[in-house]
Amino acid sequence: MSDINLKIDGKNLTVPKGTNIFMAAKNNGIYIPGLCYHPKLTQYGGCRLCMVEVTERGKSKHRFSCAQPVSEGMEVKTKTPEVEKYTKSVMEYLLAHHPLDCPTCDKSGECGLQDVTHDLKLSAGRFKTARLDEPMKRDNPLLEYNTNRCILCGRCVKVCKEIEGVGAIDYQNRGFKTVIGTAFNKPLDCSFCGGCVSVCPTGSWQDRTLKFRARPWELKKTPTICTYCAVGCTVVINSKKNQVMRITSDDDLGINEGNLCVKGKFGHEFINSSRRVETPLIRKIGILCPASWEEALDHVSKKFSEIMDVHGGKAIGGLGSEKCTNEDNYLFQKFCRTVLGTNNIDNISNIKSPSLNRLIQVSIKNRIVATSLEEIEKADTIFFVGADVTEAHPVVGSMARKAIRLNKTKLIVANARNIEFNSVARKDIRLNYNLGTQTILINTLIKIIVDEKLVDLGKVESSTENFKELRSLLKASDMGIRKASKLTNVSEDAIKSTSDLLAKSGKCYIICGKDIEEDPLAKDTIKALLNLCALINAGGSDKVSLVFSRVNNNSQGVNDMGVVPDFLPGYLDINDQSNRKTVEGSWGVKLSDDVSMKDTEDVFDLASSGKIKALYVMGENPIVSYPNGKKVKDAFKKVGFVVVQDNFLTETAQLADVVLPTSTYVEKEGTFTNMGMTVQRLNKVIEQVGNSKPDWQIVCDLAKKMGHSYSYTSPKQIMEEVGNSVPIYKGIENSDLAKEGFRWVSSVYNKSEPVKYRFEISESKLTDIKKSKEYPFVLLTGSSLRHQGTYSRNSSSLVSLASECFVEINRNNAQKVNIADGDMVKIESAQDKIQLKAKTTNRVPEGAVFVSEDYEWAPINNLRVNGYTNIKISKVK
Amino acid sequence: MSNGTKSKKTKTKAESSGNGNKSVISVCMGTGGIAAGGDKVFARFEKEIKSKKLDTALGKRVCKTAKTGCRGLCARDVLVDVTVPGKEALTYERVTVDMVSQIVEDHLVNNTPVKKWLAKDDYHKFHDNQQRLVLGNCGTIDPENIDEYTIKGGYKALEKVLTKMTPKEVIDEVSKAGLRGRGGGGFETGWKWESCAKYDADEKFIICNGDEGDPGAFMDRSIMEGDPHAVLEGMIIGGYAIGATKGYIYVRAEYPLAVERLHIAIRQAKENGFLGENILNSNYSLDIVIKEGAGAFVCGESTALQYSIEGKRGMPRTRPPQSVEAGLWDKPTCLNNVETFANVPIIINRGAKWYSKIGTEKSKGTKIFALTGNVKNTGLIEVPMGITIREIVFDIGGGIPKKKKFKAVQIGGPSGGCLPESLLDKPIDFESLLEAGAMMGSGSLVVVDETTCMVDMARFFLAFCASESCGKCPPCRVGTTLMLDILIRITQGEGKEEDLDVLEQMSDEINTMSLCGLGQSAPNPIVSTLRYFRDEYLAHIRDKECPTATCVALHKYTVIPDKCTKCTLCIRNCPVNAISGSKDEVAFIDREKCILCNLCYEKCNFMAIK
């Protein structure tokens, strides 16, 4: 990429070849008016405002700067009398066509038209106006479209098509009557990412959650990290007088290039919701009554001390939070281990995928893990394994689409369900395998790559261990492509194409999804996946980057911080004496000897069996989210004392003995770690709502009450301790988190030597997913785009948008049992039943149904058991 | 089926079925001819010939009916040529179904042409002044029969190119001939082919632009209907020159006959080895596909057309990159007009030197024009470049009918301009027309006489552009509508003098700032009418009068007292009681009350109202 030297307005500049004049000027502080060009979208050239005078090879001509690439020696003038005359005339045309809504238009103050009018110093125009008279389009609770204000810059159409991959809006009609609309003028039905609002330069697309409560110039804008999924987008909170009004984005901050999703952008109403828990609550005579902090903390400390005296610290169980900050979680586990003296702590993500943390450590040791999420934008091949990116991590989807659009990246999507992922990928392979056959599929891919020598096997042999054994096992195995194809129900062609593609994949970016990680077969499947990655990495000339999906904004962090029974912070094996000694040294406390075994019994098992007498729950709602509703309800019933720290009176809080009100992510400081292992800093936006306190503060106060000196005054201090004592986060205290996230995997890679991968041999077992005549369907669950737990449930606009939780049933199955789309059905397992509306679709395979886990008011976990849950469905009359 | 032998076979077949022994009756079956009843006439001829057993009996004189394309003088449709072996072809004009049996009886059976129905002298004069190169086959061959094309030397140019010339040589020949694009751009064809040929890609496309959206233009239609193989031959040669892997012909859906005939031609060309894999054993392969338009004028613009083929909305895009570098599906693409392609076989067959002798220094060859409007001989003409407008209008066109005076000629359709009488001696070529404020355009020539209001005409063309605007850029989308508003106000008598200055400023702005040719040329009719007919505008504005009494809003109804017979018919019928008078008093129209409904004018039997 050579650089080009040119002059703009007399200023000498050097820019990369291929840059257009508009961006060359913008990046060097020179202003050229323009309303349709946007650096993250394809060029359009429709607004005709970016005219400049260009002199090339002695000839001067007018050119439109967004369409013109720079050339060596070019001289550009952005402000000649002619250029001004003509661009002013174009603005005049736009304004003649634009309604005079400024006084009542929400965009006033941040409007592109206003800005350019001001910059060009326009005055009264020559024309009588010629306007459209269309009604406002308000067919959904989040977005409104005012046709009359639209200048047809085309940005919204492009965002929807190119970045989001949905294409819900496009041009209609022609000439003066051109408008933006949906197909057949149906109500807007898209992913509601809000991209259209962020790129609209006029007041056409508006965010309805603002509800006209503030003018743009009154809003304080604070960037922070989103509190929903594990991508960790930077959101800009717009607040006025301690109220959050709306969320916007900034293309230059964070990892998401200004892209958001429906939850991140519109799911903010929970923050100032009147349903927030305002004061601490103590259960007196069976009812939760308001109390002071003093009272509440006293009560808790007394109760905890009692139980510790009688049954020992290990009788208290702690549940950390996938939503709280690293600082909150670090202190929580430290408190549990040092003050309470218990190792019976855990978090839901670890309970759902118990082998995941260990396998991630193995992957990191072998340098297979990606150093960041943003790397996906440079990939040559993208492989989603058991990952429903469109629903679970939509902004990663947009990043993937960017790679596909700019680099012609190839795509493989493997899932038991026929999930949706839209892109313009020319090479797009879909592998819809039978449920339970994912390990067989991956092992078959390995077999083909080895058998057909699609990678340099000599290189593999010399740079790994145990490869010979793997080869002989593969040779001996009778699982050839034909048999595998039959078992998995994936065509031989597709399997073969995938092997070919993976073997020569260039930079291969793999996302291992929830459907793999939370499946009963997770361990075997992930091990097979690691084998595959190592094979490609070692034998090809290329790089594999593997990402393990996480569900929540700090699901990674809560595990990093050691809120798990078997690791100390930083994945130090708790059973290793030297680790414990080191930690004891830095904490100045002796740790309990009761370490949990690596297997089976989790905190709630222990509670159910009476071994745990008290539960301390931070920022979680396990009654609804623990994947076995019956068990967790039993546990709570059995346990004698429950303390819940949360923002809302959730189902779990309603069963508590003490409820402590906590602050949300905009009311405190701290850090979140996303699933790309990047630690990003929050910024405090508003003061604590009501009497709430940040979780770390509560833990400190409680520790103090119980006689320990937890003298942390800020999350910064906590993070300093983390940086010093948690090896993987070492160095974080020195990095400027305000500028850039701390990539701890990168840091680990920098400090350690690569290790030879050791192939783990495991048979491709065929799991028999038992189904009975009585319960003929398997229940599949997963993430959904529009909701996630307590926060979205308390955001009225999101609830208004998606108020129903559906059960997705395969069309053929539905027909056989006479269920039509929209019918009310009862789905029942041996544990429990629930009534939901049916959605007939081809996205779910036959013999299975899908229900989202994210609708708190439709708790599907009540039906679930460990392993696969079998259910039956019937129509409700 | 090997290609080589097949073409030989068809030749002999053509020869044997040649017209040596048969009388041939050719009926004009272009769209114009069919509109005039040509298909009924044709059917009647068939019936008569069959009933009189003329195709079997009468020994040597056997008759055959044939469909041909447009012969040009559409004003005289239905045109029928009767060719008796040994004699010259005689043309009957304005043939109706009733005339058929007599023609058959007299001319064919009894060998006596029906003199009174033969075409008059001016028909021949019409043709004499033309040079029908491209239209040579139109009207003389059956466009649905490839043999008639090959017999006349069709596909010989292709054979020559594929067997004896390299792509570079083809480009050089076309460049030397000086062929320029006939679609309106006037871009040097050889240069365009050269700039596309230099790009290497796995796919390259050659496109024929048959969208012909200009109102009043039907040149391309006639070529596609009357001689589709000429277009194909030109395209295949062009494809070879640039290295195209696939060809598209974009035809507007409003030309169903052209679409049908092109389909037939493509099929026949393939069957005969002139199209498809390994054409004429040359190793060059080309496939041509027809894509129909969907009713948008803007899709005649090169980049919008390409988006339309891709299935997207037809909105033009900015350049760079030029289409020759990255066009259809981002591959090198060369787009040419129908007539341009039809010129190519002629150049290859007769040579660049011969071709460049026709026309002027900078505009070589002939141009086909669609002559319409207030002129006697409306129809399709083909003239060498350099001919003056006066010759076209008066010699070929026969002058203005009904003894009216010539006022102006609009050249180039809605993107063109009008030329007044003073410029009648301007030669037709690209440069001089531009100088005069008009443009060659695709070739529509609309003649208007003294009864046409120039303001209204400008309004008409501007309204066309405004409604066909794609909507992408503000100058065209908003600007043309705003200009139209001003023009409409002027035609309604609400114009102000500043409006003319504003119109001129806006024309300049819209021309400079529009993204594509549609917007850039939309103000042309206004600019040229303002330049040459400014007084008409001023009359509309200052005097609130339309000099030609066309603009309805400016009509002023008055009674001519001498002619009024006091019949009171108008008074009784006036819907707003604006007329006073009685059996004794002459009628008088109160202009304040008059709503310009025209009823009194229609009712008066004595022409006493004007």
Side-chain angles (χ1 to χ4, degrees), chain A residues 48 86 93 126 174-175, chain B residues 313 469 505 508-509 513 515:
Chain A
R48 315 312 280 163
Y86 285 120
Y93 296 143
R126 299 166 287 178
R174 189 166 74 196
Chain B
R313 184 179 158 98
S469 163
Q505 285 166 3
D508 178 36
E509 290 155 10
M513 297 304 264
L515 193 149

Side-chain angles (χ1 to χ4, degrees), chain A residues 43-48 51 64 67-69 85-87 89-90 93-94 96-97 126-128 130 151-152 171-176 178, chain B residues 295-296 313 315 318-320 466-475 477-479 481-482 485 502 505-506 508-510 512-515:
Chain A
Q43 185 261 357
Y44 188 55
C47 74
R48 315 312 280 163
M51 184 201 236
F64 289 92
Q68 196 67 23
K85 171 177 92 159
Y86 285 120
T87 44
S89 75
V90 174
Y93 296 143
L94 281 176
H97 172 52
R126 299 166 287 178
F127 313 116
K128 278 209 187 79
I151 58 167
L152 294 172
Y171 304 92
Q172 293 174 327
N173 310 332
R174 189 166 74 196
F176 193 76
T178 313
Chain B
R313 184 179 158 98
M315 289 195 299
T318 52
R319 265 61 82 83
S467 81
E468 291 290 338
S469 163
C470 78
K472 177 165 174 173
C473 67
R477 177 180 83 236
V478 183
T481 302
L482 289 176
D485 280 351
V502 171
Q505 285 166 3
M506 287 178 79
D508 178 36
E509 290 155 10
I510 295 174
T512 312
M513 297 304 264
S514 288
L515 193 149

Side-chain angles (χ1 to χ4, degrees), chain A residues 5 72 128 204:
Chain A
N5 302 304
E72 187 67 30
K128 278 209 187 79
S204 308

Side-chain angles (χ1 to χ4, degrees), chain A residues 191-209:
Chain A
S191 59
F192 290 98
C193 69
C196 45
V197 180
S198 350
V199 295
C200 181
T202 66
S204 308
W205 283 105
Q206 298 278 29
D207 177 343
R208 293 187 72 188
T209 60

